[in-house]
Amino acid sequence: MTTRPGIADRLSRMIQLPTVSAELVERGEQPFEDFVTLLAELYPLTHAALTLERHTDFGLLLHWRGRRAADDGPLLLMAHYDVVPVDETDAWTYPPFEGRIANGSVYGRGALDDKGPLVVIMEAVENLLRSGFTPARDVYLSFGGNEETYGAAAEAIAADLRRRGIVPWLVLDEGGAVVDAPLPFVPGRAAMIGVGEKGVLTLRLAARGTGGHASAPPSMTAVRRIGRAVDRLDARTFPARTPRAVSRMLRQFAAQSSGPARLLLRLLAGAPPLTGQVFAAFGGEPAALVRTTVAATMQSGGTAANVLPSQASATLNLRIALGDDVATTVRRVRRRVRDRLVEIDVLEASEPSPESRTDTTQFALLAGALSRSYPGIPAVPYVMMAATDSRHFHRFSPAVFRFAPLEMSRAQRATIHGVDESVEIASLERGERFHRALLQRLQ
């Protein structure tokens, strides 16, 4: 009898396929098709028992029929199998697409984002099928191959389910994780579960100027005009405003704290305007929880070192806070730039999601599964700052949460989209236990 390889080996093989959606032209679609083939090879029971649908070239939807009527609303578990590019000049300890298993971890691009979270879903389903288990209600597995390039596959899956009248009872996608020191003044560990996510807005600022020789520049060149516009969009561009999810998060942290920390957290939980000011002063992740952020990510202009460019541009990435909207955000950017000669074009936009309630059976189900996989770790709501495929479902599904059941230290979180991305094998095993418990507790 042959022994089935371990979870680390299966994740390693997934990482070895360079499913880089942003490099589709250069790499082609073959790595994505190879991933679909590999998934069927690694999880034969799942592919025998569940019905597979393909949506667009990159969307996979697996349907597991439950014991109850289908119109009760299914559980939808989500992940994505595409990854972001690797900068070849970065010094990785192990090659990013080797899938090296070393020091009790699996290394490589996608280990945390998002092939690690995908593999623990598949492990749980395969293991439950092996034991003869059938879930109480229908379960769908939705895997997208272009989440990192704005998720057209997930959008198509969401649209099709909605057209068929299928409204998920619970949606769970990537997002938070089991983290240490979730806030600068909150010690200990917590399972941060995203109850909403910020919107995404990509803007292009463009300006024209008089070209010519760089030896006699005018007072305002196209490059300088764009630079001035970007400089005006500083951290004070958008006011700090505390969403309900952050107040709920602070109340929960206060309940599990003691001494001065408890008093501070209770004060902040009861005074949203003060919370906004305090979090904004911290900068970084705390500030991003309470305000719309803006970051210049690309700039262009010019053809030679001694030639004045006749045009210049900058690309801005904004994450829109809950409570704001795309139209209001664009208007504020225009007011801050204060220059009619700077054109502002919307390249991509997605509104912030609603907030999912936490006083529900769905959130209690997540907390119960967490108690089986990470005993003693509290489930804490928060606002997801990045975009996920689940935003396409949050428009019509009442309970959408964002949580990958993996442990991620601050250093590990910094490797997402960065260098030396890795996940501990013990964390993968806990993640599988989480999903197994989630499916077993489903009513």
Side-chain angles (χ1 to χ4, degrees), residues 252-267:
Q252 185 149 346
F253 282 144
Q256 65 194 52
S257 301
S258 60
R262 181 174 186 176
L263 294 175
L264 173 61
L265 290 165
R266 289 179 64 181
L267 172 64

Side-chain angles (χ1 to χ4, degrees), residues 51-73:
T51 303
L52 172 64
E53 299 176 6
R54 298 288 297 267
H55 291 262
T56 73
D57 291 333
F58 301 102
L60 309 177
L61 185 67
L62 289 150
H63 180 201
W64 191 3
R65 295 193 180 277
R67 301 190 301 271
R68 289 169 52 177
D71 58 6
D72 280 348

Side-chain angles (χ1 to χ4, degrees), residues 365-381:
L365 177 66
L366 298 179
L370 189 67
S371 69
R372 289 273 296 275
S373 52
Y374 294 93
I377 303 297
V380 179

